[in-house]
Amino acid sequence: MKTRARFGVTFRMLAVLVVLGVVAFPLYWMFVTALTGDEALFSGTPQFLPDLSRIGVFADALAQGDVLRWLLNSFIVATGTMVVAIAFGIPLAYALSRFSFAGKFLVALALFFTQMLPEALLVVPLFAIFRETGLLNSLLGLILADAAFVLPVVALILMGAFNGIPREVDEAARVDGARPAGVLFRILVPLITPAIAAGAVIAFFTAWNEYVFAVTFIYDKELQPASVGVAGYIGEQDTSIQTIMAVALIFTLPAVAFYLFAQKYVVAGMTAGAVKG
């Protein structure tokens, strides 16, 4: 019996290590590539160990471009998108979960189908709207575009969390004199905090990695997010792969750190709507 238990523990540990290796390998490969010289890089023989004598490529990458400014712009856009998506997603999800109205099913279905639309399909109409409203070439416009794109996902996650709370909780709060807004923000919202955290993380990452809207709506280099700035290193005749990998790794690390900080809330939020009662 003990032998079987030890085998089970060992198997699970190996499985975790394999999955961790698969997930972390792209980051490691970016690091190794950034520290590999041109001759070794194009030799045809993969270099699996970094050449630490070339560690200065990261300092050179920071010195050559506006990497820090791009990261700040990405942080502003991602945080703004997260706030807007959560602010609108909570009342939308609450209405879909708790109220009955004509076309409710179609509204929920429409939210689902919006995720099947490619961003490229929305660029032209959004560009026309932003041009008329003065939102072109502004971080606010990019925040609104990203928030509108990710809002259906956030609303569906929160709706599942609201559905997991018995309606008796609402009724008990109303018997005690709470108004609908009080029931939502004082009773229900604290109960779905993990789902809100999950929606916030998804919104943050969507805006952090978004490229199509950013490259279309932002034409001032000082307002470019990092996703567009990294792509700017690709030249027509000369492209430094090491520099691109170094900047891409710098761009990736803040998002990874944010995910490691919030991952326990993401897991809890994803399963919040799966158990009812």
Side-chain angles (χ1 to χ4, degrees):
M1 195 67 177
K2 290 184 178 178
T3 303
R4 181 180 296 180
R6 290 177 181 175
F7 176 78
V9 172
T10 303
F11 178 78
R12 285 193 293 271
M13 290 181 63
L14 288 175
V16 170
L17 289 175
V18 170
V19 173
L20 183 62
V22 171
V23 172
F25 183 76
L27 294 177
Y28 177 73
W29 195 244
M30 291 167 65
F31 180 69
V32 172
T33 304
L35 300 182
T36 301
D38 287 337
E39 184 176 351
L41 189 63
F42 297 104
S43 65
T45 302
Q47 305 293 319
F48 290 98
L49 296 177
D51 181 3
L52 297 179
S53 64
R54 296 175 54 84
I55 196 69
V57 69
F58 288 96
D60 295 339
L62 289 172
Q64 289 178 5
D66 297 326
V67 177
L68 296 180
R69 183 186 298 277
W70 297 337
L71 288 174
L72 176 61
N73 292 337
S74 291
F75 180 78
I76 293 173
V77 172
T79 303
T81 299
M82 179 178 65
V83 172
V84 173
I86 293 299
F88 284 90
I90 289 176
L92 176 58
Y94 178 66
L96 291 173
S97 174
R98 287 300 197 264
F99 297 101
S100 297
F101 53 88
K104 174 181 174 180
F105 174 76
L106 292 178
V107 172
L109 195 63
L111 289 176
F112 177 75
F113 279 117
T114 55
Q115 296 309 296
M116 300 182 183
L117 296 175
E119 290 182 64
L121 195 65
L122 305 174
V123 164
V124 174
L126 282 178
F127 186 91
I129 294 173
F130 284 4
R131 184 180 56 188
E132 296 298 324
T133 55
L135 289 173
L136 274 181
N137 197 36
S138 72
L139 295 182
L140 177 60
L142 189 56
I143 289 172
L144 294 178
D146 290 343
F149 191 75
V150 77
L151 178 60
V153 176
V154 175
L156 291 174
I157 291 175
L158 298 183
M159 185 179 71
F162 279 126
N163 289 340
I165 301 175
R167 291 179 180 271
E168 287 79 6
V169 175
D170 304 38
E171 295 170 359
R174 290 178 182 175
V175 169
D176 290 338
R179 296 180 179 275
V183 173
L184 172 60
F185 292 107
R186 296 175 58 188
I187 306 298
L188 299 182
V189 166
L191 295 177
I192 64 165
T193 300
I196 294 174
V201 170
I202 291 174
F204 184 92
F205 280 127
T206 299
W208 184 269
N209 295 317
E210 201 284 327
Y211 176 77
V212 176
F213 290 159
V215 77
T216 304
F217 301 148
I218 302 293
Y219 47 83
D220 189 338
K221 289 188 176 181
E222 293 189 352
L223 295 177
Q224 286 179 340
S227 58
V228 178
V230 173
Y233 280 97
I234 301 175
E236 295 182 359
Q237 298 179 347
D238 183 24
T239 299
S240 174
I241 296 177
Q242 294 91 337
T243 303
I244 291 178
M245 288 295 104
V247 176
L249 188 59
I250 294 171
F251 172 56
T252 304
L253 291 180
V256 173
F258 178 70
Y259 178 76
L260 292 177
F261 170 75
Q263 57 89 22
K264 61 180 179 181
Y265 300 108
V266 175
V267 175
M270 288 297 184
T271 57
V275 180
K276 296 182 179 181

